[in-house]
Amino acid sequence: MFRDCDVDPDFKGSTDQKEGEMNDYLLIDFDCFFYNGQDSVLEEESNISSLYHKDPDDKNFVKFMQEKDFIMKLGNGDVPQGLELAIRFLSLGACAIVRCHSKYAHPHGRKNNCEGIGSIDLPASKDVIYRVYLRSIKSIAQDQSYTFRLKVAKQLKSIGNDYYINEWIGPRGGCGKVKSLKAYDGSSNELVSLVKDLNADTSNNYEKLKGDTVAVLVDCFNNIAAAHLRDKDYTKARDAAVEAIKLDPNNVKALCRAAKAAMSVGAFDESDMALDAAIELEKDNIDVQKLKVDHDRRVKLYRKKEKVMYTKMMNRNVHNTDINRPASPNTNSERVNGQTIDHSSIDKNNLNRMNEMEVEARPSFKDKEGGTRIVWRRWFLAALFFITFAAALNHVSGVGLLNCKQSSSEL
């Protein structure tokens, strides 16, 4: 058990409160186990308690996580839901053994981070057993010292590191990414607020504390950049690295991550500047040298693609200019289908082909698309007009002859 642990000095004066309330800070120790045998063994509560008194070399009972002097804010989600719910009803100084369903512990499993325990990781959908001891309670209403606030920020950063290392799922991270970024953001917000308060407080000299706070804040921004780089969100990674560089321009880790994020989005000028600064600080750094080689390779490939694209664009522009250019006057040119053809600039085969296309475009008697009907209609109208004209002429001639006969009879 953890009952022999000393209480953190920043938690003194809180012994009057028997249970933690929402937003209170709790100082706890806990370790986590899972049973690698049949789950039916854990059905009875007595069996769970008796497992702690068995041979510590029993490989069926695996410890995969252990924390001491752990500062958590009740209701902030710093620990799994099942463990936080148990702590909520835990009295000061009490120790409890809690069996938690995998849904409220680590549903996707996690890596084993206990040194010397073994390499057996927690499988997914595996129930977990917590042993937790509530050492002290610090009410949210109590004054919080600068050192305590720095401890809280460091604890949040440590929680983010744990999720980043042990619970990152797949290339995009899953819940491990979400929880790690949440912890990092909480830590950075607390640290930024702490720096502002230290700068505004002129009652004492807090230069050393301020330096420690800024150093943790730089690490926090670097970790945020690393999480976004792992998630391939290069814009956010670059922004986080830039914030770290603003606080510490000589931080090689921040310069390298800013360069990596910048070159991933094609901002090679920015990445080159960051790498030059990093090389100037640590020219023998192997990671910096590898990143420089990768940068030069990407720049060379980008220039090659850019050259090919520019050549294609120029060829397309020249082709469009030749089509739209007006034809110059030439004695060897003629109009074919409304286009000016220069016999001196095209070969004979193309000209013959265009003449054939012109002939094919004219309607003929063999045209099945309407040419035959057009020609026969014209012939029919012409014949009809001729017959009508002949009949009219015959009628006029007949009337004139009749009048001549009547005149001769009257004489």
Side-chain angles (χ1 to χ4, degrees):
M1 297 298 178
F2 299 107
R3 295 184 182 277
D4 56 345
C5 298
D6 295 331
V7 177
D8 193 305
D10 288 315
F11 280 86
K12 288 184 177 180
S14 61
T15 54
D16 295 338
Q17 189 172 341
K18 298 302 181 182
E19 293 182 355
E21 298 179 357
M22 296 299 293
N23 296 321
D24 285 347
Y25 289 99
L26 309 181
L27 185 66
I28 62 173
D29 296 330
F30 68 94
D31 47 15
C32 312
F33 301 82
F34 73 92
Y35 190 67
N36 201 30
Q38 296 292 332
D39 291 338
S40 58
V41 177
L42 303 178
E43 292 297 330
E44 297 183 7
E45 183 177 353
S46 58
N47 291 338
I48 297 176
S49 300
S50 62
L51 288 174
Y52 289 97
H53 304 287
K54 286 189 175 182
D55 185 359
D57 295 330
D58 185 2
K59 295 183 180 181
N60 288 330
F61 198 59
V62 181
K63 180 189 292 187
F64 64 91
M65 184 178 180
Q66 182 174 356
E67 295 288 346
K68 298 185 69 174
D69 299 328
F70 188 92
I71 302 174
M72 61 165 290
K73 187 176 182 180
L74 197 59
N76 197 40
D78 298 335
V79 296
Q81 296 179 4
L83 179 59
E84 183 168 344
L85 183 62
I87 296 173
R88 173 67 180 84
F89 300 99
L90 196 63
S91 300
L92 180 64
C95 183
I97 297 174
V98 183
R99 181 188 178 188
C100 185
H101 192 276
S102 61
K103 180 180 179 180
Y104 304 103
H106 307 279
H108 303 287
R110 61 168 287 134
K111 295 180 180 179
N112 193 326
N113 65 343
C114 291
E115 297 181 0
I117 301 299
S119 59
I120 302 178
D121 298 333
L122 174 67
S125 303
K126 190 73 173 179
D127 291 352
V128 175
I129 302 172
Y130 294 108
R131 182 177 58 172
V132 57
Y133 170 50
L134 179 57
R135 294 171 53 190
S136 185
I137 302 174
K138 187 176 184 65
S139 174
I140 189 63
Q142 293 178 340
D143 293 334
Q144 300 173 14
S145 64
Y146 293 145
T147 56
F148 177 75
R149 291 171 61 182
L150 181 58
K151 288 181 180 180
V152 171
K154 287 182 177 180
Q155 183 67 71
L156 288 173
K157 185 174 74 72
S158 177
I159 292 172
N161 293 343
D162 180 74
Y163 282 123
Y164 178 86
I165 296 172
N166 299 312
E167 296 197 27
W168 192 279
I169 303 172
R172 303 306 300 271
C175 64
K177 179 197 73 173
V178 175
K179 293 179 179 180
S180 63
L181 287 176
K182 177 187 174 183
Y184 289 145
D185 290 338
S187 177
S188 62
N189 293 336
E190 181 65 34
L191 290 168
V192 169
S193 176
L194 180 56
V195 170
K196 290 181 179 179
D197 293 342
L198 289 173
N199 290 331
D201 192 350
T202 58
S203 59
N204 292 298
N205 187 7
Y206 294 108
E207 291 300 325
K208 184 179 183 305
L209 182 61
K210 188 189 303 182
D212 295 340
T213 303
V214 171
V216 177
L217 183 57
V218 170
D219 290 342
C220 195
F221 280 130
N222 274 328
N223 293 347
I224 294 174
H228 287 304
L229 281 174
R230 193 174 182 182
D231 186 33
K232 297 183 179 181
D233 192 343
Y234 301 115
T235 301
K236 292 182 179 180
R238 181 174 58 178
D239 294 341
V242 168
E243 292 297 327
I245 294 172
K246 289 179 180 178
L247 296 171
D248 185 6
N250 296 328
N251 191 280
V252 176
K253 185 183 294 186
L255 290 169
C256 290
R257 290 177 181 175
K260 188 174 182 180
M263 75 171 68
S264 299
V265 295
F268 295 109
D269 292 338
E270 295 182 16
S271 61
D272 190 50
M273 292 174 59
L275 282 174
D276 288 343
I279 292 173
E280 185 178 354
L281 293 169
E282 297 183 11
K283 62 179 180 179
D284 297 331
N285 191 314
I286 297 178
D287 293 334
V288 176
Q289 294 175 359
K290 289 182 179 179
L291 193 59
K292 180 62 175 177
V293 172
D294 186 34
H295 171 269
D296 295 341
R297 179 187 62 81
R298 293 194 185 195
V299 171
K300 185 177 180 180
L301 181 62
Y302 176 81
R303 301 305 182 199
K304 183 178 180 180
K305 290 182 179 180
E306 186 181 41
K307 183 178 180 180
V308 172
M309 181 180 64
Y310 182 75
T311 303
K312 290 182 179 180
M313 182 178 65
M314 292 301 296
N315 292 337
R316 189 180 301 111
N317 291 337
V318 171
H319 178 69
N320 294 335
T321 303
D322 292 340
I323 293 176
N324 297 327
R325 181 182 301 162
S328 60
N330 195 321
T331 56
N332 294 327
S333 63
E334 64 173 349
R335 300 285 295 181
V336 178
N337 284 345
Q339 298 182 359
T340 301
I341 306 300
D342 188 0
H343 296 280
S344 62
S345 62
I346 62 174
D347 56 16
K348 189 175 181 180
N349 293 332
N350 289 339
L351 179 61
N352 293 336
R353 178 56 185 163
M354 296 185 69
N355 290 333
E356 292 175 2
M357 292 173 61
E358 180 186 12
V359 173
E360 292 175 358
R362 297 171 182 170
S364 64
F365 290 102
K366 296 181 181 181
D367 187 8
K368 296 182 180 181
E369 297 296 329
T372 304
R373 292 194 298 271
I374 294 174
V375 174
W376 281 110
R377 187 181 297 112
R378 291 176 180 175
W379 278 105
F380 175 78
L381 293 175
L384 181 62
F385 175 79
F386 178 81
I387 294 173
T388 305
F389 178 80
L393 183 62
N394 187 26
H395 177 68
V396 173
S397 300
V399 173
L401 182 60
L402 179 59
N403 292 335
C404 290
K405 288 182 180 182
Q406 290 180 355
S407 300
S408 61
S409 62
E410 290 178 353
L411 293 174

